[in-house]
Amino acid sequence: MPRWEPNAVGRLHDAALALFTEQGYDQTTVAQIAARAGLTERTFFNHFSSKREVLFGRTSEIQKQVLAREIHASPADLRPIDVVVRALRAAADEVLEEFREPAAPRRTIIEATPELQEREEAKRAALTATMAGALRERGVDAQTALLAAGAGILIQQAAEQRWIQPAERRPLRDLISEALSSLRSVTGTDAV
């Protein structure tokens, strides 16, 4: 085996996703993931702290950075929810769109595994906290910041549910905007 091969993270991610789909999350070991990727366990642990992080680690930190950056860069006259949606759309373009193909099998694996469901909730909580914190730094009061960030996460979840459907071809950014419109129609106001 060569000492270095390109795209170790991507190869580990793809190998884990395939194995989790074939034999289940609980039945898959780090050793199997590394072997399927043609890498060593040491290489695996150089990139991920555990097998569950293969499904979460690639995007979470970058997504938080993009969200915070975009919230800070948004025009001062935008409402908090519009700032959040603007940031979510940027994160969709810069981080999530390239993961469209594995998004549906990833969702299936998470929904079948309680441990992964808990980690997914923790990820959402971290994204909410990041957005709420960035909004507070813009001068938004704590309650409004939390509500706008929480609504943003719901908007993203609704958009992602459509995005992973086999017949859906629109980019996630467009589905995020559509989900915001749906939320506004549910509340009967343009205030959201």
Side-chain angles (χ1 to χ4, degrees):
M1 183 180 316
R3 289 184 61 108
W4 180 86
E5 292 205 23
N7 194 21
V9 171
R11 289 170 45 214
L12 289 164
H13 177 267
D14 294 347
L17 196 60
L19 286 166
F20 295 160
T21 300
E22 291 167 15
Q23 61 191 33
Y25 174 81
D26 291 329
Q27 291 72 36
T28 301
T29 66
V30 169
Q32 291 171 326
I33 295 168
R36 173 75 67 97
L39 300 165
T40 65
E41 285 184 68
R42 183 176 178 174
T43 301
F44 178 94
F45 286 114
N46 284 338
H47 297 287
F48 302 105
S49 61
S50 68
K51 69 180 182 178
R52 77 178 182 173
E53 291 308 309
V54 175
L55 295 175
F56 297 96
R58 290 180 80 191
T59 60
S60 295
E61 288 307 312
I62 298 169
Q63 190 176 7
K64 287 193 291 189
Q65 292 170 7
V66 171
L67 291 169
R69 180 195 74 214
E70 289 299 317
I71 287 171
H72 288 116
S74 291
D77 62 338
L78 287 182
R79 292 180 292 189
I81 191 66
D82 294 319
V83 170
V84 166
V85 167
R86 182 179 186 270
L88 289 169
R89 287 172 53 120
D93 289 344
E94 293 179 37
V95 181
L96 300 176
E97 199 64 46
E98 73 177 273
F99 297 105
R100 184 179 200 139
E101 185 177 321
R106 178 185 178 277
R107 172 65 36 218
T108 301
I109 293 162
I110 290 170
E111 289 174 354
T113 313
E115 176 186 344
L116 297 177
Q117 293 168 16
E118 291 173 14
R119 178 60 178 85
E120 180 79 350
E121 287 304 315
K123 174 187 164 188
R124 288 182 186 135
L127 293 174
T128 301
T130 295
M131 291 188 291
L135 287 168
R136 285 192 309 274
E137 290 170 7
R138 286 175 55 96
V140 176
D141 71 88
Q143 182 176 11
T144 302
L146 182 60
L147 286 169
I153 291 299
L154 290 173
I155 288 166
Q156 181 172 308
Q157 283 180 265
E160 286 178 354
Q161 285 296 326
R162 302 236 8 227
W163 185 59
I164 65 171
Q165 298 306 309
E168 183 59 65
R169 296 290 175 242
R170 292 176 289 170
L172 182 56
R173 74 174 354 267
D174 293 350
L175 298 169
I176 288 169
S177 296
E178 187 175 286
L180 173 61
S181 295
S182 294
L183 180 60
R184 285 184 165 141
S185 70
V186 167
T187 61
T189 179
D190 190 41
V192 174

